[in-house]
Amino acid sequence: MMTEPRQTITNRVAFLEQRIPKYASVLGITGLLLLWEIICRLNIVPPLFLPAPSAILTDAWEMIATGELFKNLFASLYRVGIGYALGAVLGIVIGLILGFSRWTDAIVTPIVYSIYPIPKIALLPLIILWLGIGEMPKVTIIALGVFFPVVINTFSGVKNVDPILIKAAVTFGSSHANVIRKVILPGSLPMIFAGLKLAAGTSLLLLVSAEMIAAQQGIGAMVLHYGNLMITTKLMVGVLLLSLLGLLFNRGLQWLENKLLPWK
Amino acid sequence: MRIVVENVAKTFIDSKREVTALQNINFAIEEQEFVVLVGPSGCGKSTLLNIVGGLMSPTDGLVYFEGTNQKQPNLAIVFQEIALFPWRNVFENVVYGLEEQGASKQEIQEKGQHYIDMVGLNGFEKAYPKQLSGGMKQRAGIARALSVEPDLLLMDEPFSALDAQTRTLMQEELLTIWNRTKLSTLYVTHNIQEAVYLADRVIVLSRHPGTIKEIIRIDMPKTGRDSEQNREQFEKYSNQIWDLIRHDAQEALLEG
């Protein structure tokens, strides 16, 4: 008997399920650093324009030893910490109120949306005029920058809470206050976190800008200072520190989110 | 305690026109009675349930409890959308109503566990809704409603989101649970077999406007309605209801 010709069917979307080993995420960054170091060692680019990673690390160590690095880091952390906390808390509270009360929504939302598109750094000269040249204007500008994304996200978070859940809560005897506390707040928390993460980037941007314009200490001031002196290794220490800070900031928020939203 | 629905009417005012969803609705649910509202889509049965549940105001008429002896009556709803709080685990969802009633810690613990056991969810107390299958979610929804021991239990097409097999099993379980609790129940469905299987009385609604077409007492023992010797009677009731609804259902189909 003759065998029938066969045509086996194979999974043509196997590439969608491809597994990537864990070390892959470290691969890119190590490769980049290595390439960078080699370029510098071979003197392809003069060290003034692009200092080698090893040189940056050496200078960073020296700056840690003299205490210069931490002095600037703490000045920045203080500003961004207070500014971020202030903006986030105000943003969440006002966002919840806007979402819940139709009257305040109608009155306040147009104001929020007309101030939102202003790049906040443009307000710094005015705020310095109002609040003097101390820490206050820098903290205020960061708080402002954080406030807007948080308030807008909180607001839409509240609006996106499924009405059936509110009906269920009321059916099972919840008061208005408990509806807010037990349904609207947890229901809008995912959106609030999206806003907080967005605001993390904004806060660093404003921190550095404000410190470059008006500060003696802080990472922004440090970067500008070494830029003016053309000491690029120390400048790069500041830049890399910012990258690290942003990374840690995001990781911290992610950790908090996983902690607070285990149901997601 | 009985619940009376008196002359209830509901008109929705659209920007263009007025739509009468319900008109002249009069019936009562006796103590320990299982009443099923059945009708074609768009007959206003869910609207009626919402009005009875206090989630919508009627344009006319009223709904009241009779013979409450000064006690504040409470009611519970099992939603078609299930409406479990996604951020609460099964136990926390089930005891939500007890929590809001201000029950003691011990009472919450005991009753919560009792009703979780009753719906067969023991072992899943710590699971979040997204980890459960549709059938299990609705079990939690039922336990949440039972745990407040309501004077009136409202069920709005509770099994319509489930697959046919799960649905059959859940109907059987509901009947078992009901035989233990004997709660006065108003149950909305568009499934005629479900209505005949569960009801003491079936209220058939017609559409445009939604009015009561007929109230049919199901004169069969509460258990074993699906058994062989009851097959004929079961069919008779089903056909009777289907004949009442068929015309309206066809119209509903054409309207889309």
Side-chain angles (χ1 to χ4, degrees):
Chain A
M1 204 177 108
M2 218 180 75
T3 49
E4 295 285 334
R6 282 187 189 175
Q7 195 73 56
T8 312
I9 295 172
T10 54
N11 180 3
R12 289 191 290 168
V13 288
F15 63 90
L16 291 175
E17 293 151 23
Q18 201 179 15
R19 293 197 167 274
I20 305 293
K22 277 226 182 288
Y23 62 79
S25 51
V26 204
L27 212 63
I29 201 121
T30 326
L32 183 70
L33 283 174
L34 223 63
L35 187 72
W36 181 356
E37 184 73 35
I38 291 168
I39 289 175
C40 296
R41 287 284 166 98
L42 295 178
N43 268 326
I44 297 174
V45 183
L48 175 65
F49 290 166
L50 188 68
S54 55
I56 296 172
L57 222 63
T58 320
D59 271 29
W61 182 250
E62 183 195 313
M63 286 163 83
I64 290 172
T66 58
E68 184 191 356
L69 194 75
F70 285 122
K71 188 187 72 186
N72 287 308
L73 178 64
F74 287 143
S76 290
L77 281 181
Y78 170 81
R79 287 167 193 143
V80 82
I82 294 184
Y84 188 85
L86 209 66
V89 169
L90 278 176
I92 292 171
V93 170
I94 292 180
L96 286 176
I97 295 171
L98 290 186
F100 202 66
S101 153
R102 281 169 189 245
W103 264 104
T104 27
D105 175 17
I107 294 168
V108 179
T109 304
I111 304 177
V112 169
Y113 275 99
S114 47
I115 301 177
Y116 176 58
I118 303 173
K120 302 301 165 300
I121 198 71
L123 296 174
L124 188 63
L126 190 66
I127 291 176
I128 289 177
L129 198 69
W130 289 349
L131 301 175
I133 49 166
E135 291 301 311
M136 273 312 283
K138 290 180 275 276
V139 169
T140 308
I141 212 89
I142 293 168
L144 264 176
V146 170
F147 172 79
F148 284 94
V150 173
V151 82
I152 287 169
N153 266 276
T154 306
F155 174 75
S156 40
V158 172
K159 289 289 172 196
N160 279 328
V161 173
D162 192 343
I164 194 80
L165 294 180
I166 296 171
K167 283 184 184 175
V170 171
T171 302
F172 288 103
S174 291
S175 61
H176 273 197
N178 274 0
V179 168
I180 297 181
R181 194 165 63 86
K182 293 182 167 180
V183 182
I184 291 181
L185 186 59
S188 44
L189 217 48
M191 282 293 275
I192 292 178
F193 263 100
L196 287 176
K197 282 187 198 160
L198 207 66
T202 314
S203 71
L204 284 185
L205 179 80
L206 287 171
L207 170 77
V208 174
S209 321
E211 282 176 346
M212 282 182 163
I213 295 172
Q216 303 303 314
Q217 281 175 7
I219 303 171
M222 188 179 92
V223 167
L224 190 70
H225 174 71
Y226 286 120
N228 290 339
L229 296 179
M230 303 243 274
I231 306 176
T232 34
T233 5
K234 291 191 169 173
L235 179 150
M236 285 304 287
V237 171
V239 171
L240 293 184
L241 190 62
L242 284 170
S243 149
L244 207 65
L245 210 59
L247 218 60
L248 283 177
F249 207 164
N250 221 300
R251 279 294 164 88
L253 282 170
Q254 191 64 54
W255 175 84
L256 195 66
E257 186 179 0
N258 291 341
K259 198 94 186 158
L260 287 177
L261 304 173
W263 50 274
K264 258 297 183 195
Chain B
M1 203 182 297
R2 69 202 284 263
I3 298 92
V4 181
V5 176
E6 198 174 274
N7 278 326
V8 163
K10 179 74 186 176
T11 313
F12 290 106
I13 298 167
D14 203 313
S15 53
K16 292 183 199 91
R17 60 208 176 110
E18 271 188 21
V19 180
T20 308
L22 293 169
Q23 203 172 43
N24 254 331
I25 305 289
N26 285 288
F27 67 93
I29 303 162
E30 306 297 332
E31 182 130 16
Q32 303 198 343
E33 193 186 21
F34 200 118
V35 174
V36 175
L37 280 173
V38 66
S41 52
C43 72
K45 50 191 189 298
S46 285
T47 306
L48 182 52
L49 185 121
N50 273 315
I51 290 171
V52 176
L55 296 177
M56 200 184 267
S57 33
T59 315
D60 203 6
L62 62 156
V63 181
Y64 55 87
F65 280 89
E66 216 173 54
T68 53
N69 292 326
Q70 314 296 324
K71 177 184 167 269
Q72 184 65 39
N74 68 336
L75 46 81
I77 304 182
V78 177
F79 295 90
Q80 181 178 3
E81 303 89 342
I82 303 177
L84 292 176
F85 302 112
W87 47 87
R88 289 180 157 241
N89 64 30
V90 166
F91 184 83
E92 289 163 345
N93 263 295
V94 168
V95 301
Y96 188 87
L98 291 168
E99 235 178 80
E100 296 302 84
Q101 283 176 357
S104 70
K105 272 231 166 69
Q106 195 194 348
E107 194 184 349
I108 287 176
Q109 191 58 42
E110 281 170 7
K111 280 193 181 168
Q113 200 55 54
H114 175 72
Y115 286 103
I116 283 174
D117 290 346
M118 190 183 279
V119 299
L121 276 180
N122 36 334
F124 292 96
E125 291 85 350
K126 294 268 177 343
Y128 285 102
K130 73 156 187 186
Q131 297 168 295
L132 303 179
S133 68
M136 285 163 87
K137 278 184 205 162
Q138 197 53 292
R139 280 168 212 254
I142 292 170
R144 175 174 66 176
L146 294 176
S147 73
V148 298
E149 290 165 359
D151 298 297
L152 175 63
L153 175 64
L154 299 169
M155 302 183 90
D156 185 8
E157 309 204 32
F159 305 144
S160 63
L162 306 180
D163 66 84
Q165 293 160 10
T166 311
R167 180 177 193 144
T168 307
L169 293 173
M170 292 291 286
Q171 285 167 2
E172 285 170 13
E173 276 181 37
L174 177 63
L175 204 61
T176 314
I177 290 167
W178 191 85
N179 280 325
R180 286 175 67 179
T181 55
K182 295 259 195 278
L183 295 170
S184 308
T185 305
L186 182 62
Y187 189 106
V188 165
T189 184
H190 58 257
N191 184 319
I192 295 170
Q193 276 70 32
E194 189 168 90
V196 178
Y197 183 68
L198 295 169
D200 291 315
R201 277 191 300 155
V202 175
I203 298 178
V204 182
L205 293 177
S206 66
R207 55 198 293 279
H208 286 332
T211 51
I212 294 180
K213 203 157 196 177
E214 201 160 326
I215 299 182
I216 299 166
R217 179 168 295 282
I218 306 292
D219 230 345
M220 290 165 79
K222 205 63 194 274
T223 47
R225 285 184 182 175
D226 51 349
S227 66
E228 200 55 51
Q229 73 251 36
N230 289 324
R231 175 74 44 92
E232 200 179 320
Q233 219 180 352
F234 194 100
E235 293 281 302
K236 197 195 80 189
Y237 282 123
S238 302
N239 290 335
Q240 185 187 355
I241 295 168
W242 179 228
D243 286 339
L244 287 166
I245 291 175
R246 175 191 281 276
H247 179 70
D248 275 355
Q250 267 167 346
E251 272 188 357
L253 183 67
L254 291 175
E255 279 175 24

